[in-house]
Amino acid sequence: MNLADLPLGPLERALVDSLRRLDPAAEPLVLASAALLCAALDNGDVCLPLARRAGQRPWPEHGFCLPLLAEWQARLAASSLVGGDGDGDFTPLILVGERLYLARYQAYERNLAEQLLSRAADLPSVDEAQLSESLTRLFAFNAQQPDWQRLAAAQAVRRRLAVISGGPGTGKTTTVVRLLAALLEQPGGAQLAIGLAAPTGKAAARMAEAIRNAKASLPVSAAIKAALPEQARTLHRLLGSRGDSPQVRHNAANPLALDVLVVDEASMVDLALMAKLVDALPANARLILLGDKDQLCAVEAGAVFAELCEGRGFDARAAADLQRITGQQVPVAQPGSRLGDAVVLLSHSHRFAGDSGIGELARRINGGDVSGTLNLLKEQRSDLAWNAQPTPADLLERLDCGYAPFLSAAKSADPHAAFAAFNDFRALCAQREGAWGVAGINEALEARVKRRGQVASRERWYVGRPIMVRQNDYALGLFNGDIGICLDSEFGLRVFFEAEDGYRPFAPARLPSHDSAFAMTVHKSQGSEFSEVLLVLPEQPSPLLSRSLCYTGITRARHKVEIWGLPTRLGEAVATRAERAAGLAERLAVDPVTQSRSAAPPASGAGHAQLPLF
């Protein structure tokens, strides 16, 4: 096999060249495997799953065929470039069973699993009588049995690790602000240093705002309310990211000065970032992760939050403890993960009523029920609509009508009215490019708006132009994903952004990199809510289409969802479960032989060393 003939990208070729310098006699199969691993990382996988690829032709236009699994494993293991999971010597590639890793990602995954298990096994001292009284008072408004919000709060106080998953409207923010109040009411709780963080600036701002609003009605003392945090930071800023370097300022040698860290939108956190976060958190600090296991995963490699939620359950002892403290009947289910009872799923939606079309659609999509999804959309529910034969011209006309109230409100030069109208309706796309993507829709709709407003086509700025920031600018306090609207002001055109105490105007020339935002990708919409959502699916098959994408898109809506997509594309999306190759869940799994719930192995110290470059 001649590697020069393979259709490799620049990054794959750079990796292959690096490996050749380490071992000039490296077998071509090993180098080709490394190239495939590099491509897998680019697609969000943490490793190359050998069993899925064995015996196949990875490049259809090339005759090269991968060997069968056993032979492939043996030839990789024989290479000086490939090491094992517990080997002491550095090798750029690591083979763990049927998974091939770059050394850095294998270290991220191994260290993260060890530290999570260690944290989950280290139980803090808790005043159970005080906790019971706090939970009874703080969650008195809930009549559900069992009250999963109360159980989640109990576990977050009783454990140093809590993973709380729930769909839109299931009360994650309500739960976290009340569990923090219960934690502060514990003996010595008033001295706790509590931090709030999220993957993006927009998510951090929304989290802080939600907690500020929620704590006003808490049945606690003024001192407890004052102790609740009101500011949130991005994870990158919290850790002290250093430009494009993988290193961060805070790590095990320089830990964060926190006793409790709450991370919202944790499903968006990739493996590398989560590993660095846990490494930087003091061993005796509590970590509370909030997210939705069914939402889209991180853009970078890994699906950490979804893997943490696998194997959840309360064994008989945990269920009895929780029943004693909370008064709730707790279902017993043998955990499949050694994190087990650290994971709680909030299942009752306060946003979608039992007869909600959106809620039912979300359930059918998550269940992979293609026929049920299509049939539901044909029922003409008041909160659901479906255009099964869309055309670009019809879509443009529909979006023009959908955004007409917003553009009218923008002419008032009132930021509050403009933002309220803009959040009433939003177009979400599966992809960026093409007539059915963000770029094509924004360009076409913007041209129409300019013509109607008699704005020259070369002019970038006009009243009513919505934009989305593409990069963080800490000096301006603007972050990737923030939405701004161009409005008239006494100083001319200014772009307004929502702030804690109103709206902040910026001269267009001062803004960091940005795009027009009549339409946005589903991925960028995570953490947002709109009154109505129009979800646009591509006309041609796309690897981006999955049930998690559809679920995330439709659950951004509070009152109505409109889907524009061919039945074939919609069916493909619902039938496709986006699975990322990784081994974290397997590392956390209960031993199938012993079914033991043993603590983590002792920390090896590897998580405290500088990770290798590969």
Side-chain angles (χ1 to χ4, degrees):
M1 177 180 61
N2 187 350
L3 287 175
D5 296 336
L6 297 180
L8 305 183
L11 199 57
E12 288 97 323
R13 291 205 177 276
L15 176 60
V16 168
D17 290 343
S18 296
L19 296 177
R20 272 184 172 144
R21 287 193 291 272
L22 291 172
D23 181 5
E27 184 185 359
L29 174 64
V30 175
L31 300 177
S33 300
L36 290 172
L37 170 56
C38 190
L41 283 166
D42 193 48
N43 290 328
D45 292 329
V46 172
C47 56
L48 179 66
L50 304 185
R52 294 188 204 170
R53 308 296 296 274
Q56 298 180 5
R57 290 172 55 184
W59 297 282
E61 66 273 30
H62 194 280
F64 169 67
C65 185
L66 293 166
L68 296 179
L69 178 60
E71 180 188 348
W72 193 2
Q73 290 172 299
R75 289 168 67 180
L76 286 172
S79 172
S80 64
L81 296 172
V82 182
D85 198 26
D87 294 354
D89 296 333
F90 169 75
T91 55
L93 303 175
I94 304 291
L95 181 63
V96 183
E98 299 176 352
R99 301 188 300 274
L100 181 67
Y101 292 84
L102 286 182
R104 178 192 291 172
Y105 284 88
Q106 183 265 352
Y108 283 147
E109 187 177 270
R110 182 193 66 230
N111 296 344
L112 176 60
E114 289 177 355
Q115 293 195 43
L116 288 175
L117 289 169
S118 178
R119 192 175 301 276
D122 182 16
L123 305 182
S125 175
V126 174
D127 182 334
E128 290 192 357
Q130 176 61 58
L131 176 58
S132 180
E133 190 280 327
S134 296
L135 295 176
T136 300
R137 171 170 29 88
L138 289 164
F139 292 92
F141 65 92
N142 246 347
Q144 285 82 32
Q145 281 284 343
D147 180 356
W148 289 108
Q149 290 179 297
R150 189 178 310 198
L151 295 174
Q155 289 302 80
V157 175
R158 298 174 66 242
R159 298 283 186 267
R160 297 202 191 278
L161 174 68
V163 181
I164 302 173
S165 175
T170 52
K172 293 189 292 293
T173 301
T174 299
T175 301
V176 78
V177 72
R178 290 169 188 263
L179 75 82
L180 289 177
L183 195 53
L184 289 167
E185 290 180 339
Q186 284 286 300
Q191 284 75 48
L192 292 174
I194 301 174
L196 306 177
T200 67
K202 179 178 69 173
R206 290 187 180 279
M207 177 191 192
E209 179 187 12
I211 287 183
R212 283 194 298 271
N213 293 337
K215 77 176 190 177
S217 59
L218 284 180
V220 295
S221 68
I224 296 296
K225 288 184 180 181
L228 286 166
E230 291 194 347
Q231 300 298 323
R233 288 178 283 178
T234 65
L235 290 172
H236 288 96
R237 194 167 197 184
L238 178 74
L239 292 173
S241 294
R242 298 173 176 176
D244 293 331
S245 168
Q247 306 304 318
V248 291
R249 186 168 64 252
H250 288 288
N251 49 37
N254 180 30
L256 296 163
L258 291 174
D259 299 305
V260 183
L261 176 62
V262 181
V263 180
D264 198 13
E265 298 292 346
S267 63
M268 299 170 66
V269 183
D270 60 85
L271 172 65
L273 185 56
M274 187 68 82
K276 293 171 188 176
L277 177 69
V278 173
D279 191 48
L281 200 62
N284 61 349
R286 286 177 171 84
L287 175 62
I288 301 166
L289 302 175
L290 306 175
D292 184 344
K293 66 181 181 62
D294 297 314
Q295 277 195 190
L296 284 168
C297 301
V299 174
E300 303 296 333
V304 175
F305 191 78
E307 287 192 274
L308 296 184
C309 291
E310 290 186 27
R312 64 186 181 276
F314 297 105
D315 63 16
R317 178 176 176 179
D321 289 344
L322 282 172
Q323 183 171 341
R324 183 183 69 254
I325 294 169
T326 67
Q328 301 287 304
Q329 292 288 334
V330 182
V332 175
Q334 187 62 39
S337 166
R338 283 182 282 171
L339 297 185
D341 57 17
V343 183
V344 180
L345 177 62
L346 306 181
S347 55
H348 179 76
S349 177
H350 301 275
R351 182 192 301 177
F352 303 130
D355 60 349
S356 163
I358 298 175
E360 180 60 26
L361 183 62
R363 285 188 287 274
R364 295 190 187 189
I365 288 174
N366 270 341
D369 185 355
V370 175
S371 60
T373 296
L374 300 181
N375 290 335
L376 179 64
L377 289 170
K378 294 173 185 176
E379 291 181 9
Q380 298 183 335
R381 298 276 188 105
S382 61
D383 57 348
L384 297 176
W386 180 29
N387 186 325
Q389 298 295 328
T391 66
D394 288 342
L395 175 61
L396 188 58
E397 197 68 36
R398 172 67 185 93
L399 294 178
D400 200 5
C401 293
Y403 283 116
F406 157 66
L407 292 169
S408 177
K411 293 177 182 177
S412 70
D414 177 359
H416 179 77
F419 273 95
F422 192 52
N423 287 330
D424 276 345
F425 176 83
R426 193 65 53 88
L428 304 181
C429 303
Q431 58 192 31
R432 284 194 55 81
E433 306 304 326
W436 303 96
V438 167
I441 289 174
N442 280 326
E443 182 180 353
L445 190 56
E446 198 164 44
R448 179 177 284 210
V449 171
K450 285 181 178 180
R451 283 196 303 271
R452 185 184 304 117
Q454 297 184 329
V455 177
S457 59
R458 66 180 179 277
E459 291 289 339
R460 295 185 61 211
W461 296 101
Y462 54 90
V463 170
R465 183 191 180 196
I467 64 119
M468 174 182 285
V469 174
R470 294 180 59 183
Q471 67 184 47
N472 294 338
D473 188 323
Y474 291 106
L476 295 180
L478 296 176
F479 304 98
N480 183 10
D482 282 355
I483 295 291
I485 298 175
C486 185
L487 302 172
D488 263 328
S489 77
E490 58 182 315
F491 305 106
L493 291 179
R494 291 292 184 268
V495 182
F496 287 79
F497 290 84
E498 292 177 291
E500 293 178 18
D501 53 353
Y503 300 88
R504 296 191 300 152
F506 292 88
R510 296 186 64 201
L511 297 178
S513 177
H514 55 270
D515 290 321
S516 293
F518 285 107
M520 60 196 295
T521 61
V522 173
H523 222 298
K524 287 286 190 181
S525 74
Q526 291 187 90
S528 299
E529 293 180 7
F530 313 105
S531 182
E532 294 187 20
V533 162
L534 190 151
L535 177 62
V536 182
L537 302 182
E539 191 175 32
Q540 300 299 322
S542 169
L544 297 173
L545 287 179
S546 67
R547 69 183 64 159
S548 60
L549 180 135
C550 286
Y551 168 82
T552 304
I554 67 167
T555 54
R556 299 311 91 203
R558 290 190 299 269
H559 301 125
K560 186 173 182 179
V561 165
E562 193 171 332
I563 297 177
W564 282 55
L566 298 170
T568 306
R569 296 291 88 79
L570 182 55
E572 289 169 355
V574 175
T576 302
R577 184 184 177 198
E579 289 189 80
R580 292 190 169 180
L584 180 61
E586 184 175 310
R587 291 178 186 273
L588 299 174
V590 171
D591 187 327
V593 177
T594 64
Q595 283 292 298
S596 67
R597 303 190 61 208
S598 60
S604 64
H608 298 170
Q610 180 162 335
L611 293 172
L613 293 179
F614 285 91

